[in-house]
Amino acid sequence: MLLPQLLVSAVESAGDAVAVVEGSRSLSYRELDAVSSRWARWLIGRGVGPGDAVVVAVPRSLESVVVLWAVAKSGATFVPVDPGYPAERVQFMVADSGAVLALTVASVAQVVAGSAGSVPVVVVDEVSVAAQVRGLSSRPVSYADRVRSLEPSDAAWMIYTSGSTGRPKGVVVSHAGVGGVIAAEREHFGVDGSSRVLHVCSPSFDVSLLELGVGFSAGATVVVAPAGVGGGPDLADVIASQSVSHVFMTPGALGSMDPAGLDALRVVVVAGESFTPDLVRRWSVPGRRRFFNAYGPTETTILATSSAELVPDAPVVIGSAIAGVGAFVLDERLRPVPEGVVGELYVAGAQVARGYHGRFGLTAARFVADPFTPGGRMYRTGDLVRRGGDGVFEYVGRSDFQVKIRGFRIELGEIDAVLSSVPGVGFAVTVGAALASGESALVSYVVPEAGAVLDPAQVRASVGEVLPGYMVPSSVTVLDEVPLTPVGKVDRAALPAPVFEVAEYRAPRTPVEIAVAEEVAQVLGVERVGLDDSFVDLGGNSLAATRLVARLSARLGYRVAVPVVFETSSVQELAARVDIDTAGAGAGAGTVVLAVRERPERVPLSLAQQRMWFLNR
């Protein structure tokens, strides 16, 4: 089913039902169909049709819904651009998309006009433009009305995602896979004519199209959250006051709210990021509120897998492949791995996107030939999963997003899971941070549950009771709320700089204590180190420990073992251990101290030179 057919499928059966509501404003299905048809005819009159890209930079609102319907009916490619993005990013997206037209509203027109360059910009709420549209026919747009025929292979939308090089990439999604995913998820999540579906995701996050698709195709009411609301108490107020029954959002946005009082909420679907079982415990109410996990890169038309209902204290899985989707767990040579073995997830089927707009090399690298279907294509997700015997996938992590601490590769989600189980912790996220020394350390950020007070030291101690020392975060920072990106994911770049615990300063006294303290400070890039400070708590890792023992060995004249650094909890303990080892081995044992000496008349041969002489003789 083509996107315009999907959007209007409920007009005949539910014409008088409320289709969309924003605050005190609303439109019935028949009204929404009529006004969007006028706008579609206005676009068609300007020569816009299948194969053309139209930028839509309209904040989430009743108007943004109307414009989406209009662009879809014209057959053009919908290119959502969040006007709240930095001007440079907006400028790049508008120019890179090759759009023939940009639609916006007066409140953000200046931002868009300044970025559009040669692309014509139309302000949809301008009086003269609105007057032109009102004079057009409101009858349904037919195939004959469009400037060109619309085919399943044509692009339905182009959504820009972050690129690893810092340059956004436009994912081109065709109409071919849209109908299948919407139909499958509408049934799976129980959306019907009585449902009230929240529309809160940013237009730059493709789950926003799932919100609209499942809602409109079922004849449900789509409740539009105000443009400035993306989480927290304000969003909870919208859900409560509008009796929302279904929400689709990221774990970060969901974790920013308190579920108390949201009695009408029947279904919660989380997508976009991994999360911990604690979120299920807080939001799932068996028999009254169902909780699902959905997974799918933008490159696979919104979703590729979805879970059965998740219940408290059960493992969090991303579910099985939805109807029409092929999902394979493969090794680096595209060979299937056995059940229970971790491999990379590949997605195949009609839902696989056409590729990245204008990025042919990147498209060839990520969209590869399907070895199981002649002529087919697969998308390489970069996500590591393991498949159970029931075909359910468990998300393990990213193949390109791991942190290496003390030589160990660590999946940050495992630490988040333990943090979230600590009493009083409502949400947790862990990242790898670069220290002044150039080394990496684990730093965590936690948001307390309502009414809870968290002590970072106690949180770290609780984690240390479950995880090995190298997985215990060096810093825990308590936040009032988690910073989110415009699409509702955790904004790691906006997290505050970590504060590492430093004990009350006690100056070193003995020569060994002074040497240890000075060398720890030098290696870790810390201004000063006292007797009670810990090498690990200050961000030390295995590489830094190697540098430390090398410097101590050179300075003190005897070899210091690396394990000693991690077996001691403070500079004072480390210095005491070094003193004990020295007493047992004798000063200068095991190490030749480098010093300035007089050059002898005959310089001794090195071992390699001696070998060469011996072989020659």
Side-chain angles (χ1 to χ4, degrees), residues 15-102:
D16 295 326
V18 177
V20 58
V21 58
E22 180 199 6
S24 59
R25 301 190 299 161
S26 65
L27 291 173
S28 68
Y29 274 94
R30 192 164 285 114
E31 291 169 335
L32 179 57
D33 185 45
V35 67
S36 61
S37 290
R38 291 191 182 97
W39 272 105
R41 291 185 185 282
W42 183 86
L43 290 170
I44 292 169
R46 294 175 67 101
V48 175
D52 297 323
V54 175
V55 165
V56 177
V58 180
R60 188 177 59 239
S61 60
L62 211 65
E63 287 75 18
S64 68
V65 174
V66 170
V67 172
L68 167 61
W69 274 49
V71 174
K73 287 182 175 182
S74 74
T77 304
F78 173 71
V79 186
V81 171
D82 192 331
Y85 279 170
E88 183 178 348
R89 188 177 182 90
V90 173
Q91 181 178 3
F92 173 84
M93 293 163 69
V94 173
D96 183 74
S97 67
V100 298
L101 191 67

Side-chain angles (χ1 to χ4, degrees), residues 368-446:
V368 299
D370 182 353
F372 312 108
T373 305
R377 298 162 64 243
M378 299 189 302
Y379 173 67
R380 180 182 182 183
T381 67
D383 291 319
L384 301 178
V385 301
R386 62 169 61 92
R387 187 184 71 250
D390 54 0
V392 172
F393 298 102
E394 177 190 354
Y395 179 82
V396 176
R398 286 286 302 171
S399 62
D400 55 1
F401 189 68
Q402 294 175 325
V403 175
K404 195 170 187 179
I405 302 293
R406 302 188 203 169
F408 296 95
R409 288 200 176 275
I410 298 172
E411 291 295 343
L412 300 179
E414 185 176 355
I415 301 173
D416 293 342
V418 175
L419 281 166
S420 298
S421 68
V422 175
V425 174
F427 187 81
V429 60
T430 303
V431 299
L435 302 175
S437 62
E439 311 296 347
S440 295
L442 294 172
V443 297
S444 296
Y445 301 84
V446 296

Side-chain angles (χ1 to χ4, degrees), residues 296-614:
T298 303
E299 291 85 350
T300 61
T301 311
I302 312 176
L303 296 182
T305 71
S306 58
S307 72
E309 180 180 354
L310 299 181
V311 296
D313 302 321
V316 173
V317 295
I318 61 174
S320 54
I322 66 176
V325 170
F328 310 103
V329 186
L330 309 178
D331 63 15
E332 66 278 0
R333 303 177 77 174
L334 299 185
R335 298 174 302 189
V337 302
E339 293 176 1
V341 175
V342 175
E344 186 171 353
L345 180 61
Y346 287 74
V347 178
Q351 287 181 220
V352 174
R354 286 169 38 173
Y356 300 114
H357 176 69
R359 307 282 292 276
F360 305 109
L362 185 59
T363 298
R366 304 302 297 186
F367 295 84
V368 299
D370 182 353
F372 312 108
T373 305
R377 298 162 64 243
M378 299 189 302
Y379 173 67
R380 180 182 182 183
T381 67
D383 291 319
L384 301 178
V385 301
R386 62 169 61 92
R387 187 184 71 250
D390 54 0
V392 172
F393 298 102
E394 177 190 354
Y395 179 82
V396 176
R398 286 286 302 171
S399 62
D400 55 1
F401 189 68
Q402 294 175 325
V403 175
K404 195 170 187 179
I405 302 293
R406 302 188 203 169
F408 296 95
R409 288 200 176 275
I410 298 172
E411 291 295 343
L412 300 179
E414 185 176 355
I415 301 173
D416 293 342
V418 175
L419 281 166
S420 298
S421 68
V422 175
V425 174
F427 187 81
V429 60
T430 303
V431 299
L435 302 175
S437 62
E439 311 296 347
S440 295
L442 294 172
V443 297
S444 296
Y445 301 84
V446 296
V447 177
E449 293 181 334
V453 177
L454 297 176
D455 179 2
Q458 291 180 355
V459 173
R460 289 187 68 248
S462 298
V463 174
E465 294 174 357
V466 180
L467 297 177
Y470 66 87
M471 294 184 69
V472 176
S474 300
S475 167
V476 173
T477 303
V478 179
L479 304 176
D480 293 330
E481 59 181 8
V482 179
L484 303 176
T485 67
V487 301
K489 297 184 179 182
V490 176
D491 188 353
R492 286 171 169 77
L495 291 169
V499 177
F500 295 98
E501 296 180 14
V502 178
E504 184 177 350
Y505 180 73
R506 283 202 304 135
R509 300 155 299 183
T510 68
V512 174
E513 288 177 349
I514 293 172
V516 171
E518 288 179 352
E519 296 304 334
V520 169
Q522 182 68 30
V523 168
L524 298 183
V526 181
E527 186 174 349
R528 75 175 182 180
V529 173
L531 286 176
D532 298 315
D533 290 325
S534 165
F535 175 79
V536 173
D537 289 347
L538 291 174
N541 58 23
S542 59
L543 294 178
T546 302
R547 293 173 55 199
L548 174 63
V549 298
R551 294 178 67 93
L552 286 174
S553 298
R555 179 167 176 171
L556 300 177
Y558 51 84
R559 191 178 306 281
V560 179
V562 172
V564 173
V565 177
F566 294 108
E567 292 169 0
T568 54
S569 60
S570 67
V571 167
Q572 187 174 22
E573 286 187 20
L574 177 58
R577 178 69 178 272
V578 169
D579 269 340
I580 293 173
D581 292 345
T582 304
T591 300
V592 177
V593 180
L594 299 180
V596 177
R597 302 168 187 252
E598 290 187 10
R599 181 183 179 91
E601 183 177 346
R602 297 184 63 182
V603 179
L605 296 177
S606 69
L607 292 177
Q609 291 171 326
Q610 291 180 37
R611 179 174 181 274
M612 292 172 64
W613 178 87
F614 176 79

Side-chain angles (χ1 to χ4, degrees), residues 44-403:
I44 292 169
R46 294 175 67 101
V48 175
D52 297 323
V54 175
V55 165
V56 177
V58 180
R60 188 177 59 239
S61 60
L62 211 65
E63 287 75 18
S64 68
V65 174
V66 170
V67 172
L68 167 61
W69 274 49
V71 174
K73 287 182 175 182
S74 74
T77 304
F78 173 71
V79 186
V81 171
D82 192 331
Y85 279 170
E88 183 178 348
R89 188 177 182 90
V90 173
Q91 181 178 3
F92 173 84
M93 293 163 69
V94 173
D96 183 74
S97 67
V100 298
L101 191 67
L103 303 177
T104 187
V105 291
S107 60
V108 295
Q110 188 173 1
V111 176
V112 180
S115 305
S118 59
V119 180
V121 177
V122 176
V123 180
V124 298
D125 54 354
E126 191 175 84
V127 175
S128 60
V129 176
Q132 295 175 27
V133 173
R134 280 196 301 270
L136 299 175
S137 171
S138 63
R139 63 181 175 80
V141 176
S142 67
Y143 282 90
D145 293 323
R146 298 189 181 103
V147 296
R148 290 177 290 276
S149 62
L150 181 60
E151 304 295 336
S153 58
D154 287 323
W157 60 73
M158 183 196 308
I159 290 184
Y160 278 84
T161 64
S162 297
S164 58
T165 62
R167 175 188 173 193
K169 52 187 185 292
V171 181
V172 182
V173 175
S174 70
H175 290 266
V178 175
V181 66
I182 296 299
E185 300 312 280
R186 182 181 65 240
E187 179 179 357
H188 187 56
F189 301 133
V191 181
D192 57 29
S194 66
S195 302
R196 294 177 69 85
V197 180
L198 183 67
H199 177 41
V200 66
C201 293
S202 164
S204 295
F205 184 28
D206 58 353
V207 173
S208 65
L209 297 167
L210 180 66
E211 295 171 332
L212 300 177
V214 297
F216 290 138
S217 64
T221 297
V222 172
V223 178
V224 181
V229 176
D234 291 340
L235 182 58
D237 289 343
V238 173
I239 295 173
S241 62
Q242 292 288 348
S243 299
V244 170
S245 63
H246 290 68
V247 297
F248 301 80
M249 60 180 60
T250 62
L254 190 67
S256 69
M257 297 187 296
D258 188 340
L262 305 183
D263 299 329
L265 190 57
R266 304 199 310 265
V267 174
V268 174
V269 183
V270 176
E273 290 183 302
S274 60
F275 60 94
T276 63
D278 182 70
L279 201 64
V280 184
R281 177 180 60 80
R282 292 180 58 207
W283 284 89
S284 176
V285 183
R288 189 161 59 87
R289 180 187 299 154
R290 299 190 296 159
F291 192 107
F292 297 91
N293 187 19
Y295 163 87
T298 303
E299 291 85 350
T300 61
T301 311
I302 312 176
L303 296 182
T305 71
S306 58
S307 72
E309 180 180 354
L310 299 181
V311 296
D313 302 321
V316 173
V317 295
I318 61 174
S320 54
I322 66 176
V325 170
F328 310 103
V329 186
L330 309 178
D331 63 15
E332 66 278 0
R333 303 177 77 174
L334 299 185
R335 298 174 302 189
V337 302
E339 293 176 1
V341 175
V342 175
E344 186 171 353
L345 180 61
Y346 287 74
V347 178
Q351 287 181 220
V352 174
R354 286 169 38 173
Y356 300 114
H357 176 69
R359 307 282 292 276
F360 305 109
L362 185 59
T363 298
R366 304 302 297 186
F367 295 84
V368 299
D370 182 353
F372 312 108
T373 305
R377 298 162 64 243
M378 299 189 302
Y379 173 67
R380 180 182 182 183
T381 67
D383 291 319
L384 301 178
V385 301
R386 62 169 61 92
R387 187 184 71 250
D390 54 0
V392 172
F393 298 102
E394 177 190 354
Y395 179 82
V396 176
R398 286 286 302 171
S399 62
D400 55 1
F401 189 68
Q402 294 175 325
V403 175

